[in-house]
Amino acid sequence: MKALVLAGGSGTRLRPITHTSAKQLVPVANKPVLFYGLEAIAAAGIKDVGIVVGDTSREISDAVGDGSEFGLDVTYIPQSAPLGLAHAVLVSRDYLGDDDFAMYLGDNFVVGGIDRPIREFRAHRPDAHLLLTHVSDPRAFGVAELDASGRVRGLEEKPAHPKSDLALVGVYLFSSAIHEAVRAVKPSWRGELEITHAVQWLIDEGRDVRSSQITGYWKDTGNVTDMLEVNRLVLETIEPHCDGLVENSEIIGRVRIEEGAVVRNSRVVGPVVIGAGTVVADSYVGPFTSIAEECLVEDSELEFSIVLRGASITGVRRIEASLIGRHVQVTPAPQVPHAHRLVLGDHSRAQISS
């Protein structure tokens, strides 16, 4: 069994971060989101992985390399444009051959891994196996409708009136039957080849399409709010550890300080990760914050945020629920003298806040 990891999207919902960085490489607890997916694939016993790449192919390949760091053998598959998930399968035909494969969206985060659904797929050998989860607003997702036996009866993409609250998670398991399906479907109104249409084609053709519901946590990290939530979740699991230098500071709770980092005259309340070579001085760093490598946080307050490599935050109070890009400089705005210009008629009364 192979894996197909999709890492070619443009990441419009994470702009401006993704103007200069692949969305799959935005870090969660100082590790790229993509790496969590690759680790889950390796843990499930899959070795051969094709990564579909687009405009950020160089950045993805520089980060992942040949996959040996993850125990994988990685092949890169170029996609000319992000024309849909089914299109990614279409351009990967030569690599996949007739092998079964797991398709994993590179910006998705699944807690608990994918071992169990892969075991189910191998045991029953359906044409497709979908991972589903209950969501509060299914109108924002691909939605599955199940029959009484639990097989998938139908799929809808972002329906106005959903038939269930079961959303498609960004992990799909396929036999070679999917190749016929992706060739049969036409582009949607978005101009993309939708994987939901391809799976619906399998259903309409009487093929065996099954599903299972994930019991752990799943998130599509496509926007800042979701990135911060996943970061919070991962930070909840870290163990306190210090390879750096702490001077005249208060460290509370689960705080990981990497090699070469310095915390001086500061208060850090975990869970927090402080990356290698980062300096935190005369500052407060609050819960659910990850600060990457070679950053500077000085005379500032920071909480529930992600700070990327090389950023500096000096003299700022207060920052929270923020995603700060690589080599960003955040400083106080210059003070502007306050003045009031008044034209008041006779017998007026004016109240001015000083």
Side-chain angles (χ1 to χ4, degrees), residues 17 21 40 63-64 71 76 120 139 170 176 184 197 206 228 251 267 270 274 282 312 339:
I17 297 294
S21 177
V64 177
Y76 294 96
E120 290 183 21
R139 293 173 300 175
S176 59
H197 293 177
L228 292 172
I251 308 296
R267 186 169 187 259
I274 298 174
D282 303 302
S312 67

Side-chain angles (χ1 to χ4, degrees), residues 180-197:
E180 185 180 2
V182 298
R183 290 195 303 269
V185 298
K186 303 299 182 185
S188 67
W189 63 271
R190 299 192 300 176
E192 297 185 1
L193 292 177
E194 309 284 359
I195 198 65
T196 49
H197 293 177

Side-chain angles (χ1 to χ4, degrees), residues 241-252 255-258 260-268 274 278 280:
H241 181 77
C242 182
D243 278 338
L245 176 65
V246 176
E247 295 181 338
N248 193 31
S249 297
E250 186 179 13
I251 308 296
I252 300 171
V255 177
R256 192 173 77 210
I257 302 173
E258 303 291 358
V262 177
V263 179
R264 182 183 298 118
N265 302 325
S266 297
R267 186 169 187 259
V268 181
I274 298 174
T278 285
V280 176

Side-chain angles (χ1 to χ4, degrees), residues 74-154:
V74 166
T75 299
Y76 294 96
I77 303 166
Q79 185 183 26
S80 58
L83 297 175
L85 305 188
H87 182 263
V89 176
L90 200 63
V91 301
S92 304
R93 180 68 174 95
D94 290 343
Y95 172 76
L96 294 169
D98 291 327
D99 293 326
D100 297 339
F101 66 97
M103 186 168 76
Y104 198 113
L105 274 58
D107 59 351
N108 273 226
F109 189 89
V110 180
V111 172
I114 57 174
D115 308 48
R116 183 176 61 84
I118 285 179
R119 287 197 302 270
E120 290 183 21
F121 178 81
R122 284 173 166 161
H124 300 288
R125 297 303 311 280
D127 294 297
H129 184 110
L130 310 178
L131 271 65
L132 307 174
T133 189
H134 292 282
V135 295
S136 57
D137 185 5
R139 293 173 300 175
F141 302 93
V143 176
E145 181 186 7
L146 307 183
D147 64 19
S149 67
R151 281 183 170 80
V152 181
R153 174 188 294 170

